[in-house]
Amino acid sequence: MTVHAIPITLDFEEGIDRKTLRRLRERFCLVNEARWGRVRSSLSWRQHSVLDLLPLVFHLNHPALPGYLDHDCPFGVCRYTPGPDAISAAQRIARSFSLRDSGKRQPDIEALFLMGSPGSLGHSVASDLDVWLCHRPDLSERGVRCLERKASRVSDWAAMLGLELHVFVFAATDWRRGRQRAEVNGENCGSAQHYLLLDEFYRTSIHLAGRFPLWWLIPACHENEYEARARQLIDCRFIRGDDYIDFGAVPAIPEEEFLGAGVWQLYKGIDSPWKSLLKLMLTECYARDSANGPLSLAFKAAVYAGETDPDQLDPYVLLYQRLESWLTALDEPARLDLVRTAFYFKAGLPLSRAEAVGDLWRGRLLHGLVSDWGWNDTRLRDLDNRQQWRAEEVIKIRRAIVNELTHSYRLLSRLARTHALKAAISRADMGLLGRKLYAAFQRKAGKIELINPNIAPSLAEENLSFHHQSSHGGGEVSEGWLLYRDLENPSDAFWQPVIRRSSNVTDLLVWCYCNGLLTRATRLNVRAGTSVLSVAELREMLEALSARLPVPLPPAGREELQAPARLVNTLLFVNVAIDPQARLTERGLHKLSAHHDSLGFSGGRENLVHGIDQVTLNSWHEVSLQHYASGDTLIQCLKNYLAAVAEFPPQPPKLSVHSSGGHGGAIARRVEELFQDVHRHFFAGGAGPHPLRYVIEMDRRFFVLQFSGDQPGFVGLESRAALNDYLRKPQAAWAPVVLDRHALVGDPAFRAVCCAGQPEAVQVFYQLQGERARLWVLDETGSIFAWQQRFSSRRHLLAPLLKFLENLMERRQLRESTSLSGGVAEALCHELVMKDGAWQAERRVFRGDDVPLGGLEVQAVGIQEGGSHLRFDVFCGDQEFTVQEYGDQLISAVAHYIHSLRRQGEPYPVYLTDVHLPHDIDPRIYQQDLQTIQYLYYRHELEQALNSALERAPSQAPRT
């Protein structure tokens, strides 16, 4: 057949010949027919049926045809008459189908086009098909929505026949005005580009049915006068306007599109690097070499010049030729080689395997190109055997791809800044694309780098060996790990390449798993050295990963990327390659008590959690690993977990814990139990974090977890006394003490006190123990003051304390309100009693006035003198003892005075009935209201000082 015709020239000044216009349209139709034939040659028979039937499906609203919705769905394609292939395909679906004239009515659909790679060298069996369905501009909104739903159903039907089909529904007038309704997703470029997409459409589209593109009839040299020439053709009746559809001209691509298009191609490049790399380079070429104009104009000029050879007009060949010319002029052979590699992979034809190249025209065309490139058989075999590529090769190629994508993106961004342009991409889409790029390419501490974005079909290894560096001998003992393939004899390690090195074996395992090197079929070998790692432990870890982190990970969706990244899944590996009882085992010791808590095991109360590896998956589908191996390992991990939960309490991450070896199951259960308990208290009801102090006993120490705003923190305390001191510290708001289920199990009375706490109340708890009594006061914010004292009677035990608290609360209420109609608040009193085998707090009704003791009223008034410590004036009845008068001898003077008032030999202690504190007790701030716990603290300190002084008072003191 003739592939080069006589050039066609249109002279708009001298006059236009209708016959020439008809001949011009026929030439474009000839090119269209050749491409259509190539599309059909690359599809299966069932897939042929889809494309044969596609125009008919939208031309008729027939219940027997795919995609039917309801009787009033828009239908009818302009100037379309179904051919025998379409009718035959319809009858194969519904034997009773027959074509009936629906009467004269205005068609709702103006045209159907196939665009993109179909019919070109860039189309492969894995390629999808994009269809533009253009409806009339005055179609109702309901009609448009109905067409979109029908298009979705047609795509689903095509998928069942093995064809990935995407139908985009819009009006040509909306396109010209830039009002197409699109947002960034897997197939739409959203607001990122307009003219670049139109350029691609004009040079790749295949007309399926309906009106022809008006763009065909405007010569490339008149593109800048497109509107005027189009109006001239229609107004002067050289053509019928309803025979053509107008998407507008392709002028020089506006510079403001380059940034948006570049980011969009980076977005696509994450999952399809070869195609996106070609398009991204073309965008950069357009930006830096605008003199040559868009490829669509070169395509149109070639057709006008008489070129109809589909090989010469192949869209991907034209694209490659433009990039080759540009990169050769720039003298960048490395980038040109990357373009050739991307082009070869996009074609998807393994030329080294002749029997696999069934598509003759594509094989012939690609063979000609690679011959011109000078590629030999060795290069082709290497590229065609991607399934045999190893991680090292993939990492190298990925690095080249990422470098190219990053280079292009930075260049495009710099161009946009230089020209002070506003990118033709919405802020929402820019944020979305930027987040996906960040998730895919950004390096950060702990993140597992995914090395194979569709570069090789598989990286699975038959054999992997994990070697601890200490197993190789040598001088210094190293704690690092090495990953080899096919290496069972450690002596071979000196001349075998290392796939990866890491200080942590879990990092190697997770990296291998996420990148597909390690599967259930992989044979493992371990050289543990000074560690205790085994093949069985690695297998168990692999099973845990497979259950919680299925790979390959699909790309994150639009909804996920629109929101900040949040933790979705957390997997904790405890004591990997560690024997938690190694020290006990070396000494031949075993469990010596009933303590079975893994955080306080046996009589030594050993913490069996020595190391944690935290594997996390977030909503952007980033996998990260954090290793905790020193310090307060478990608490640090728990704190970070709580911080992640606090970012979005309604959807907490799923948690699972794995531990192998001795006591592994018990350790895993205990750690998971702890995490769940802490989460349940801080985030009850899917909200929080709630204000509380969570106490954990571990390894003969205590840890208190508490949030400050949304940030969790913890404090470690070395003893029970230190814990008591910490729990009595003032709180800004109600923060009850919650004890972990294994904390202070030896003190059930204190656990009962913590469980009985009530907000906005002052509570007194006491437990009688023969001649001693334990007392606790929980104040209005949950702070706990605890002490012990001698017990003679409930009257002497409670009356002084209750009187003190009532004086304090009465003064506080008078300060807050002038009305006493509500009565004076009182402290709630509880006695701890054993009932049903457990300690419980039972309410006891006492008031300070109910059990009067009489005697001397002793009050203390605090004085804050500059930066010095707090000092007190003391009043004993009417007698005043001031710091100004007595100085450091004040306590002794008060004790002597009290002793002088007592009868000989009365040993009972002195109790303060009231304490006043200054508002600037903390010189850094002014405190309008001090907490009850603060008054109790100073009361207790003063009482201890006075009673100690009383014991030392002279025996010859006067009697009263």
Side-chain angles (χ1 to χ4, degrees):
M1 107 181 147
T2 303
V3 294
H4 199 87
I6 299 174
I8 294 177
T9 303
L10 294 180
D11 191 336
F12 284 87
E13 302 300 331
E14 297 297 328
I16 301 173
D17 183 0
R18 291 183 179 86
K19 183 178 180 182
T20 302
L21 289 173
R22 187 166 56 252
R23 189 159 55 90
L24 182 60
R25 187 177 80 179
E26 290 172 351
R27 181 174 294 179
F28 275 98
C29 287
L30 180 64
V31 174
N32 190 85
E33 184 179 352
R35 285 185 177 176
W36 176 242
R38 290 188 165 186
V39 172
R40 293 176 64 91
S41 70
S42 62
L43 300 177
S44 67
W45 179 80
R46 297 178 72 194
Q47 293 170 337
H48 283 174
S49 300
V50 175
L51 292 183
D52 288 338
L53 196 56
L54 192 63
L56 183 59
V57 163
F58 291 101
H59 184 62
L60 301 178
N61 191 33
H62 197 289
L65 296 179
Y68 178 80
L69 280 173
D70 49 50
H71 70 281
D72 61 347
C73 183
F75 68 98
V77 179
C78 287
R79 304 192 176 281
Y80 171 68
T81 301
D85 290 339
I87 295 174
S88 175
Q91 288 175 342
R92 285 195 297 271
I93 293 176
R95 293 185 179 181
S96 61
F97 173 82
S98 62
L99 188 63
R100 297 180 181 178
D101 188 358
S102 58
K104 289 187 178 181
R105 61 182 297 278
Q106 182 183 12
D108 294 316
I109 300 167
E110 292 186 340
L112 281 166
F113 296 92
L114 189 63
M115 65 92 63
S117 63
S120 74
L121 185 55
H123 187 78
S124 66
V125 292
S127 299
D128 56 1
L129 300 179
D130 291 342
V131 172
W132 283 17
L133 187 153
C134 304
H135 59 77
R136 58 186 174 88
D138 57 345
L139 192 62
S140 68
E141 182 68 17
R142 182 183 181 280
V144 174
R145 295 295 183 190
C146 192
L147 267 180
E148 289 175 340
R149 292 197 302 274
K150 181 173 182 177
S152 179
R153 287 195 174 190
V154 170
S155 296
D156 293 341
W157 164 70
M160 291 188 295
L161 298 178
L163 197 61
E164 186 178 351
L165 182 72
H166 308 281
V167 182
F168 302 98
V169 178
F170 61 94
T173 52
D174 287 340
W175 174 271
R176 290 199 307 274
R177 297 167 185 166
R179 295 191 318 209
Q180 64 272 24
R181 298 183 303 189
E183 60 184 19
V184 173
N185 59 32
E187 299 303 326
N188 279 342
C189 59
S191 59
Q193 48 191 309
H194 177 84
Y195 290 108
L196 283 167
L197 188 58
L198 186 61
D199 169 57
E200 181 182 359
F201 169 78
Y202 279 144
R203 58 188 165 85
T204 68
S205 63
I206 298 174
H207 177 261
L208 297 179
R211 300 180 178 183
F212 299 103
L214 179 60
W215 181 82
W216 285 355
L217 305 184
I218 311 297
C221 59
H222 288 279
E223 198 76 15
N224 292 332
E225 306 166 301
Y226 181 90
E227 294 294 335
R229 298 311 183 192
R231 290 261 47 93
Q232 183 178 350
L233 290 176
I234 296 173
D235 293 347
C236 297
R237 299 185 179 180
F238 290 110
I239 60 173
R240 293 179 55 178
D242 57 1
D243 282 346
Y244 294 89
I245 187 169
D246 186 11
F247 296 105
V250 183
I253 306 299
E255 290 177 320
E256 56 264 31
E257 279 199 17
F258 293 143
L259 178 58
V263 175
W264 164 246
Q265 291 305 331
L266 282 171
Y267 181 97
K268 295 285 286 183
I270 296 170
D271 306 312
S272 302
W274 305 120
K275 175 181 176 181
S276 293
L277 192 147
L278 293 172
K279 289 191 173 184
L280 186 59
M281 282 196 172
L282 180 64
T283 303
E284 181 186 340
C285 176
Y286 280 176
R288 299 181 65 180
D289 187 25
S290 58
N292 288 317
L295 276 177
S296 57
L297 298 186
F299 161 73
K300 183 161 63 171
V303 175
Y304 271 73
E307 183 64 76
T308 57
D309 185 350
D311 286 356
Q312 297 300 317
L313 297 177
D314 185 283
Y316 271 82
V317 173
L318 292 176
L319 183 153
Y320 168 74
Q321 289 173 344
R322 172 66 65 86
L323 293 179
E324 182 187 48
S325 175
W326 171 60
L327 292 173
T328 300
L330 293 177
D331 191 23
E332 296 195 24
R335 296 182 73 193
L336 178 58
D337 187 70
L338 185 61
V339 165
R340 289 170 174 172
T341 302
F343 188 92
Y344 186 81
F345 284 136
K346 181 64 181 75
L349 286 175
L351 295 183
S352 64
R353 299 191 292 272
E355 71 282 357
V357 187
D359 197 333
L360 297 180
W361 73 267
R362 295 180 70 235
R364 172 182 48 78
L365 183 54
L366 188 59
H367 260 301
L369 287 171
V370 298
S371 296
D372 293 341
W373 302 342
W375 284 7
N376 56 30
D377 293 341
T378 302
R379 177 73 182 271
L380 291 178
R381 281 194 298 271
D382 179 54
L383 295 178
D384 291 342
N385 292 328
R386 277 194 296 167
Q387 68 276 7
Q388 297 179 10
W389 283 3
R390 299 296 180 88
E392 296 90 325
E393 290 94 346
V394 170
I395 290 173
K396 182 178 178 180
I397 293 176
R398 179 188 183 275
R399 189 177 298 118
I401 293 174
V402 172
N403 287 343
E404 180 59 39
L405 296 178
T406 304
H407 159 80
S408 297
Y409 174 67
R410 289 175 177 171
L411 175 63
L412 294 169
S413 300
R414 187 163 60 250
L415 287 173
R417 290 193 302 270
T418 301
H419 294 85
L421 299 171
K422 182 180 179 181
I425 181 170
S426 71
R427 181 173 297 179
D429 283 350
M430 179 64 82
L432 174 71
L433 301 177
R435 283 177 170 181
K436 181 159 186 174
L437 293 171
Y438 178 90
F441 297 134
Q442 181 69 30
R443 290 178 175 173
K444 58 184 180 182
K447 180 176 175 179
I448 301 298
E449 186 178 37
L450 302 181
I451 65 172
N452 187 25
N454 289 325
I455 296 175
S458 173
L459 295 181
E461 294 284 351
E462 293 184 6
N463 301 279
L464 285 175
S465 295
F466 294 81
H467 284 219
H468 194 267
Q469 282 189 310
S470 63
S471 66
H472 292 181
E476 296 183 4
V477 177
S478 174
E479 295 301 316
W481 288 86
L482 308 173
L483 178 68
Y484 297 93
R485 66 169 58 86
D486 300 326
L487 182 63
E488 296 184 5
N489 188 344
S491 62
D492 296 338
F494 294 102
W495 53 80
Q496 287 292 331
V498 178
I499 301 177
R500 186 175 175 86
R501 303 171 185 266
S502 178
S503 61
N504 180 8
V505 71
T506 307
D507 173 69
L508 290 183
L509 181 77
V510 176
W511 182 85
C512 290
Y513 173 75
C514 289
N515 284 295
L517 282 76
L518 178 59
T519 68
R520 286 189 174 95
T522 304
R523 192 159 61 91
L524 298 177
N525 180 266
V526 170
R527 304 295 297 185
T530 56
S531 77
V532 294
L533 184 69
S534 66
V535 172
E537 184 174 5
L538 284 180
R539 286 288 178 198
E540 290 180 15
M541 294 173 67
L542 177 59
E543 290 300 320
L545 281 171
S546 301
R548 293 294 182 182
L549 190 67
V551 293
L553 291 170
R558 181 182 179 88
E559 285 189 14
E560 288 84 0
L561 291 171
Q562 283 178 324
R566 60 178 180 83
L567 206 60
V568 173
N569 215 332
T570 295
L571 174 58
L572 303 182
F573 290 108
V574 181
N575 296 338
V576 176
I578 296 173
D579 178 5
Q581 288 188 282
R583 288 176 296 176
L584 296 178
T585 303
E586 288 173 2
R587 291 180 288 168
L589 299 179
H590 303 282
K591 184 175 179 181
L592 301 177
S593 77
H595 293 294
H596 61 274
D597 177 18
S598 297
L599 307 185
F601 188 75
S602 189
R605 307 306 299 271
E606 296 283 339
N607 174 18
L608 299 185
V609 176
H610 292 182
I612 297 179
D613 293 296
Q614 181 183 25
V615 181
T616 59
L617 171 69
N618 68 18
S619 55
W620 291 1
H621 291 192
E622 294 176 294
V623 179
S624 298
L625 173 70
Q626 188 161 0
H627 182 61
Y628 303 88
S630 61
D632 302 315
T633 298
L634 181 58
I635 300 298
Q636 290 283 3
C637 181
L638 178 57
K639 182 195 71 171
N640 292 344
Y641 173 79
L642 291 175
V645 176
E647 293 179 358
F648 197 68
Q651 291 186 349
K654 297 177 182 178
L655 173 72
S656 58
V657 184
H658 175 82
S659 182
S660 301
H663 301 285
I667 293 171
R669 286 190 297 272
R670 176 65 179 105
V671 172
E672 188 165 350
E673 172 188 88
L674 174 65
F675 275 64
Q676 291 173 347
D677 287 348
V678 173
H679 174 266
R680 183 174 63 253
H681 282 95
F682 278 113
F683 298 97
H690 303 305
L692 59 93
R693 288 165 291 168
Y694 195 93
V695 179
I696 301 169
E697 184 177 1
M698 181 170 59
D699 202 15
R700 301 175 299 279
R701 299 173 66 203
F702 297 92
F703 297 89
V704 182
L705 288 168
Q706 188 173 12
F707 273 84
S708 175
D710 291 335
Q711 300 301 316
F714 74 91
V715 61
L717 305 163
E718 299 298 327
S719 66
R720 176 65 187 275
L723 175 65
N724 290 341
D725 290 342
Y726 184 82
L727 294 182
R728 73 184 182 196
K729 288 180 179 294
Q731 300 294 308
W734 169 249
V737 174
V738 178
L739 299 179
D740 181 61
R741 65 176 69 191
H742 290 281
L744 295 171
V745 291
D747 190 355
F750 181 66
R751 293 183 64 89
V753 169
C754 295
C755 291
Q758 299 178 25
E760 302 301 326
V762 175
Q763 298 170 271
V764 176
F765 297 86
Y766 66 94
Q767 180 192 26
L768 303 179
Q769 297 177 324
E771 295 182 356
R772 303 289 295 178
R774 299 178 68 191
L775 293 102
W776 301 268
V777 175
L778 267 70
D779 78 355
E780 61 278 1
T781 65
S783 295
I784 302 177
F785 194 88
W787 74 99
Q788 297 187 36
Q789 66 184 58
R790 288 194 299 267
F791 171 74
S792 58
S793 69
R794 285 180 173 82
R795 174 173 175 267
H796 286 92
L797 180 70
L798 298 173
L801 175 61
L802 294 176
K803 182 63 177 177
F804 175 84
L805 293 174
E806 286 181 4
N807 287 339
L808 176 61
M809 288 184 282
E810 180 178 314
R811 187 168 65 249
R812 182 179 292 161
Q813 185 173 358
L814 288 171
R815 185 172 64 249
E816 293 175 354
S817 174
T818 59
S819 172
L820 296 178
S821 59
V824 178
E826 63 178 354
L828 305 178
C829 197
H830 307 265
E831 182 177 358
L832 295 176
V833 296
M834 178 69 72
K835 183 177 289 186
D836 299 328
W839 287 95
Q840 299 181 15
E842 289 192 351
R843 179 73 185 279
R844 298 287 187 262
V845 179
F846 290 107
R847 288 174 54 88
D849 295 337
D850 294 340
V851 283
L853 289 175
L856 191 66
E857 292 278 338
V858 182
Q859 298 177 315
V861 177
I863 300 171
Q864 183 75 47
E865 297 178 347
S868 64
H869 65 278
L870 186 64
R871 307 178 77 178
F872 289 89
D873 291 340
V874 179
F875 298 84
C876 299
D878 295 331
Q879 186 69 32
E880 179 179 358
F881 297 85
T882 65
V883 173
Q884 186 71 25
E885 181 179 357
Y886 290 95
D888 293 338
Q889 299 301 314
L890 184 143
I891 294 297
S892 297
V894 173
H896 189 278
Y897 175 73
I898 294 174
H899 191 276
S900 69
L901 300 178
R902 291 183 173 180
R903 289 183 293 271
Q904 184 71 25
E906 291 182 324
Y908 57 86
V910 63
Y911 298 102
L912 270 69
T913 54
D914 205 357
V915 173
H916 292 259
L917 295 176
H919 296 297
D920 56 350
I921 188 173
D922 183 344
R924 297 170 299 177
I925 58 174
Y926 179 87
Q927 294 175 281
Q928 179 64 36
D929 293 308
L930 298 174
Q931 287 181 220
T932 300
I933 206 75
Q934 293 171 282
Y935 290 94
L936 283 170
Y937 171 76
Y938 287 106
R939 175 183 183 262
H940 185 72
E941 293 292 306
L942 286 170
E943 285 181 349
Q944 280 192 324
L946 285 172
N947 287 315
S948 295
L950 274 172
E951 293 177 358
R952 298 191 303 270
S955 59
Q956 66 271 26
R959 290 181 289 175
T960 61

